[in-house]
Amino acid sequence: MVDPLSISAVSGVLGAVSSSMAGEAGKWAWEAFGGLVQRATGRQVLAPAGVTEREAVARLLVEGARNDPAQARALAAWMSGVSSGVHSGIPGGVPSGGAGGASGPGAVPRLLPASTRYFTDRKGPLAALDKEGGRKPDGRPRQALLHGPDGIGTSAVAIHWGSREAARFPDGQLYADLRAAGPQGAADPATVLRRFLHRLGVPAEHLPATVEDRADLFGALLATRRLLVVLDHAHSAAQLRPLLTSAAGVFTVITARRPLAGLDAVNIPVGPLADKDARRLLTEVAGKHAVTAARAALPGVLERCAGYPFALRAAAPGLAEAALAGPASAGRSATTTDPAEAAAEDRYRQLSPDAALAYRRCALRPWPGLTARVAAAATGLAEPDAATALAELADAGLLETAVDGRHHFRPLVRRHAEALAVREDGLAACAAAVTRTVDTLLRLAVAADCAALPQRWHLGPLYAVLCRNGYPEGSPDEAQALAALGAELPNLVEAVRAAEEFAAPELVCQLVEALWAVQLKAGRHDELLPALRAGARAAAAPGTAPRFAGRMHGQLALALVELQEYPEAERQLLLAAEAEEKDGHLRGQATAVESLGLLRLRQWRYTEALDCFDRAVGLLDGIGPDGDGSADLPRARALLSRHRGRALRGLGRFDRARAALEEAVVFFRGTGEGYNTARALTDLAQALIEQGHGAQALPLLDEAGTLLERQGARFHLAPLEVLRSLCANGT
């Protein structure tokens, strides 16, 4: 049996807590351990980074416990409580996945898209997949790369094979499209791992912050499973590396436009269909009658499609028209020699005027999720007409449709549509279309941000226009607003990119400001990071207001703290404080200093954290009765009281900690802020427990739990259970 107070056991729990700091239980447990270390050693010990430093901290704790029975009991209690709180839902107790894409105990992820009904030939690539997928485990990873040009059907081969061979993989199928909006065109591995881990049963509150820790957890979860992973449209070997595993039961199928240097996989080329198979595909899609009627035009159609399945499918609806027009119609697409582009051109020429307009204008940016609202903004059409146009484009095979009903372009089709827009509409009209779309997304985000976080102070003129007393008129509730922001997040990140390319730093800042609620309440920091970095760049642009610059640096810093990139986070917070000081904005400067104190708590630098909070209080004291931000002063001071209590508790100054935390509880109870009341009650209960007053802490924990349940803030409930167990143990 492993000694629970061995160095390896303590180091293991520290490692698990470090990897779970994306959730509130992990953050709380990390800070709690920091206070335990300070009190056990009687000196400041910085938070460890990496295995070696965690082992050093574990050694300090274990050696102190061996010499002090009281410390041994405290460490054992924290080990038991924190371990159970952090490990619930992660290895070795991870639920096995999500049936149909949902997570839950005993379920299996089934993320593979539906295979095409009309799948033709491909005997060679399918046989190669059979061989690699059925190879006996020998220590080598089972990986295959299907490669070929756009429109040739690599994705169809991977999905068809996975659907046909589902029985080989009883533990499920994972699928990710590795394309992404923006100039880099590649999805972030951290975002892909977030989705995979969720589907494998890892709750959001236990999701590791860094891509390295997510990759480690992903590998651990797959170690004993028989599972298929399909990684579609890969950009590079570097993008793939965190997503690959050598687990014996896992087969990874990758698709890309070309062989990828540095990838250790079986290369399987996918080429054009032979003429007989191309005829067969046309017949299956268009029907035998249409193919027979278009006999005269058929040679030209086949030549133009060049065996590309995408081109053949796009050509099928036009066969009847080709039969009436005769052989000359086959030369209609002589403007391009690329079969896929020729197919897009053919389908475009058959669109209604509204659909043709939507085809051109919606392609001006790589919007991840085209909706009727976005299309209406891009085209100037009414939303119902825009929805009809999108449906026509999807029916024509020019748009792909996601499960949620949103549409997106294939890259090759978007390139064709974008070139048409520039040629047929002109640059001025194209720029105006993008501007309207960005403005529409901004207005949506500002209204939702107001509703999702009504208490905070906002920046920018649009907030004054759309919000009344912190709420937009006719707004949804906080949960609905947050859900709307989350659903639109990929488009909003792309809107930030567009604003930056248009050299509009003020617009960039206003868009990023509107992402604060989804950043604070939903996390998703890895997805937000490109937009937040753009905001920091806009902060440095000439003419950007210092107050906006401070906000941009502060928002980026928050994400960097959550991603455990502490040195860069500190640099951004110092820039935020500098910008706010330049503006003479004491409220903003206090926020930046307060945020630096929260970073210091995460680093177990409790004395410096307390200094930051005291400095922030001093800055607030400089705001006069009619000064900027004066209305928010009572709430800001209450938040700082709570943070000061956390720092004092870490230092073992329990009486002062309790006084500060009680002050925060009284304020938030009085204002009816259930969420902040519960957080302050949790901190106060922890201080009482660490003083040995567990009986006094239990009613506070019960009250906090009730408030959090009412708020729907379930992520914050895990620490309460740990603290209750500590009360029962008499710690």
Side-chain angles (χ1 to χ4, degrees), residues 327-364:
S329 68
R332 189 170 48 191
S333 295
T335 55
T336 177
T337 59
D338 183 276
E341 188 175 332
E345 178 77 14
D346 281 351
R347 299 308 298 144
Y348 171 71
R349 296 305 170 191
Q350 299 173 44
L351 295 172
S352 68
D354 282 357
L357 179 64
Y359 180 72
R360 299 192 305 272
R361 299 289 178 84
C362 291
L364 292 168

Side-chain angles (χ1 to χ4, degrees), residues 2-17 28-29 32-33 36-37 54 57-59 61-62 65 71-88 722 725-726 729 731:
V2 177
D3 179 0
L5 295 187
S6 68
I7 293 173
S8 61
V10 176
S11 179
V13 171
L14 278 170
V17 173
W28 170 84
F33 255 116
L36 183 65
V37 172
R54 286 198 294 268
V57 170
R59 184 174 290 104
L61 286 171
V62 171
Q71 188 175 323
R73 289 192 298 273
L75 178 57
W78 281 109
M79 284 281 290
S80 174
V82 170
S83 181
S84 63
V86 172
H87 278 291
S88 58
V722 180
S725 71
L726 294 175
N729 291 336
T731 300

Side-chain angles (χ1 to χ4, degrees), residues 555-579:
Q555 278 190 247
L556 175 56
L558 172 66
L560 293 169
V561 168
E562 298 307 322
L563 295 171
Q564 300 180 38
E565 298 181 22
Y566 298 145
E568 188 180 356
E570 180 172 346
R571 186 174 70 85
Q572 293 295 330
L573 287 172
L574 293 175
L575 288 170
E578 180 182 331

Side-chain angles (χ1 to χ4, degrees), residues 85-118:
V86 172
H87 278 291
S88 58
I90 63 174
V94 182
S96 59
S103 60
V108 173
R110 300 290 185 191
L111 300 187
L112 202 63
S115 179
T116 177
R117 177 178 177 83
Y118 303 113

Side-chain angles (χ1 to χ4, degrees), residues 453 455-457 587 620 631-641 667-668 671 673 675-676:
L453 264 183
Q455 298 95 349
R456 83 178 182 104
W457 50 282
R587 178 69 183 92
L620 294 179
D632 191 46
L633 283 178
R635 183 173 184 273
R637 288 194 174 103
L639 287 169
L640 280 166
S641 289
F667 175 84
F668 289 121
T671 60
E673 283 191 51
Y675 173 80
N676 277 316

Side-chain angles (χ1 to χ4, degrees), residues 196-262:
F196 280 180
L197 291 170
H198 172 65
R199 300 306 186 188
L200 290 167
V202 179
E205 64 268 30
H206 294 303
L207 187 74
T210 66
V211 67
E212 293 84 0
D213 285 337
R214 290 183 189 182
D216 288 346
L217 180 55
F218 182 59
L221 288 172
L222 266 54
T224 59
R225 301 191 187 208
R226 294 168 60 194
L227 187 138
L228 175 68
V229 180
V230 177
L231 303 173
D232 208 1
H233 306 111
H235 183 75
S236 66
Q239 181 195 30
L240 290 166
R241 200 157 289 121
L243 308 173
L244 300 178
T245 174
S246 58
V250 175
F251 181 30
T252 304
V253 178
I254 303 153
T255 76
R257 296 178 61 188
R258 64 190 186 285
L260 300 177

Side-chain angles (χ1 to χ4, degrees), residues 182-183 364-367 431 433-442 491-513 515 530-531 534-535 537-538 541 544 552:
L364 292 168
R365 299 294 306 183
W367 301 112
V434 174
T435 299
R436 286 196 306 271
T437 309
V438 171
D439 181 65
T440 295
L441 290 167
L442 173 61
N491 279 340
L492 289 168
V493 173
E494 179 56 30
V496 172
R497 291 191 180 101
E500 186 173 35
E501 289 182 23
F502 276 32
E506 289 186 8
L507 182 57
V508 170
C509 291
Q510 187 69 99
L511 281 160
V512 174
E513 161 80 358
L515 296 174
R537 289 192 292 271
T544 298
M552 295 300 98

